Each structure stands twice: as C-alpha cells, then as structure tokens.
Amino acid sequence: MKPCIVLIGIQHVGKTTLGKAIADKLGIPFFDTDLEIKRVFGRHPRYFTIDGGQTAYNRVESAITLWLHEKFKEAEAFSAVISTGSGFCDDRDGQKDLRDIGVFYELDAGLSVGAQRILDEAVVNPDGSLSNIPSYAVHDNAKTLEDVRKSFYKTFAPKLKLYEELADVIIKVEERTVEENLNHILEN
C-alpha cells in the first residue's frame, strides 16, 4: 500500500471537501496543493497562471509535490490525503512525485457540476463587469456568465480524458454523497 490518497480531477468537483472528510475520518493530515502554494509562495495559485500560464503554475505545484514526496516517501499506508490543483494533469513532474507515494483517485462529477459551481462563485458587479472568475476566463476575456461557462468547458473538456488516464480509481461523485464517496475510496 502507498502512503497517500491523492485526489485528482477538474476544478470544483469536490476534491477538497472529500479530502478533508477522508482525513478527518482516518485522523491523518490533509494537504491541498493549491493551499500549500499560497502558504509557501504567498500568493494565490491563479496569479501564477494569470502571470505565466500553465507552465508557471506547474512550476510552483511541482515544488509542493516534491516536498510532499519527500515528506511521505517512507511513510506507512494511509498517512495523508492530498488534493491536487485542477491543472495537475499537465504537471508531469508532480505526477511522478505523487505517483510514487500515492494512489490516484479521480473525482468525476462531469463538466456541468464544476461549471455551475464556478458560476455560483462569480460576481456580477453593479457596472456589469465580472469579478471572482477563474484565470482561464480572464485570459478568454469573459464578459458574461455565459462566457465564463464556455471558458470552463473549453478549458476542462480536454482534461477529462487526461484525468481518466492518470486515475487508478475513478469515483463518479455526482452519484454519491460525500460519505458514500469516502467509504468507496477507503474500500478500494
């Protein structure tokens, strides 16, 4: 058994929520690579993507995955739960680091669930402009909520296949509760 449970998947499918629930149930630490990026580098991961694209984000995420690899390479099974960022499918170094210490569980909620969660977080300002939208929507110059939805689909539809190929186990999260998904992971 590998020491870590690694949750992968597109943006807003519930990796953090499920990861925290698993960690709490097992009494082990939970690590979210995006939160670790913010803690270590002092800025939200989206700004790395906005400023330098996916390559810049992958560089800082790889630093975090290397740290996690070193921290858990000698650990016993069920030592930590790790939630990766939504661009993890493009981070070859990070994949290698975490593959060595963990089993990859893809959380698959379909595109519509993630898109709706993004739209629920977006803010339409009094002047009609948008704020609190993802960096890919900023790059796509999204002006409306429908533009944000289209940008989400354009960004993540190609990644679904990549995550499926990376996964050791695929969890269809929209068909189960958090507790059912948690039990499914612990049984596999």
Side-chain angles (χ1 to χ4, degrees):
M1 284 291 275
K2 293 182 179 180
C4 298
I5 295 169
V6 180
L7 304 178
I8 64 174
I10 65 170
Q11 193 173 47
H12 281 293
V13 293
K15 297 181 298 283
T16 299
T17 300
L18 184 56
K20 286 179 178 178
I22 295 167
D24 286 347
K25 182 162 185 131
L26 296 176
I28 59 177
F30 170 74
F31 297 91
D32 180 311
T33 58
D34 282 348
L35 294 176
E36 291 300 316
I37 288 170
K38 188 174 181 182
R39 181 184 65 77
V40 171
F41 294 98
R43 56 193 305 227
H44 193 281
R46 87 173 59 138
Y47 296 112
F48 290 97
T49 307
I50 289 170
D51 294 344
Q54 189 66 43
T55 302
Y57 173 82
N58 288 350
R59 189 171 41 254
V60 293
E61 185 179 53
S62 291
I64 299 303
T65 59
L66 179 59
W67 171 73
L68 289 165
H69 177 270
E70 293 304 309
K71 183 174 183 67
F72 292 105
K73 68 182 178 183
E74 304 294 329
E76 298 177 5
F78 298 126
S79 291
V81 179
I82 300 167
S83 171
T84 63
S86 59
F88 183 70
C89 63
D90 298 319
D91 180 5
R92 300 295 177 236
D93 292 334
Q95 291 167 21
K96 182 180 172 295
D97 290 336
L98 295 188
R99 173 75 66 203
D100 189 45
I101 62 168
V103 177
F104 287 10
Y105 293 86
E106 180 202 6
L107 303 188
D108 180 0
L111 289 170
S112 62
V113 171
Q116 189 56 53
R117 289 176 180 168
I118 292 295
L119 294 178
D120 290 345
E121 291 183 0
V123 175
V124 179
N125 299 310
D127 66 357
S129 66
L130 298 175
S131 56
N132 200 34
I133 60 173
S135 57
Y136 50 84
V138 171
H139 277 289
D140 287 345
N141 202 25
K143 300 289 186 209
T144 66
L145 292 177
E146 185 55 29
D147 291 344
V148 173
R149 179 187 307 278
K150 288 177 183 176
S151 182
F152 179 89
Y153 275 81
K154 178 181 120 186
T155 300
F156 289 108
K159 294 180 186 283
L160 289 176
K161 179 99 172 117
L162 297 173
Y163 277 116
E164 185 179 304
E165 291 169 357
L166 281 174
D168 297 309
V169 179
I170 298 172
I171 308 291
K172 299 285 189 184
V173 294
E174 81 266 13
E175 299 169 5
R176 297 185 184 102
T177 65
V178 170
E179 185 70 24
E180 289 170 332
N181 285 319
L182 182 153
N183 290 331
H184 186 70
I185 286 175
L186 295 179
E187 292 166 4
N188 289 298

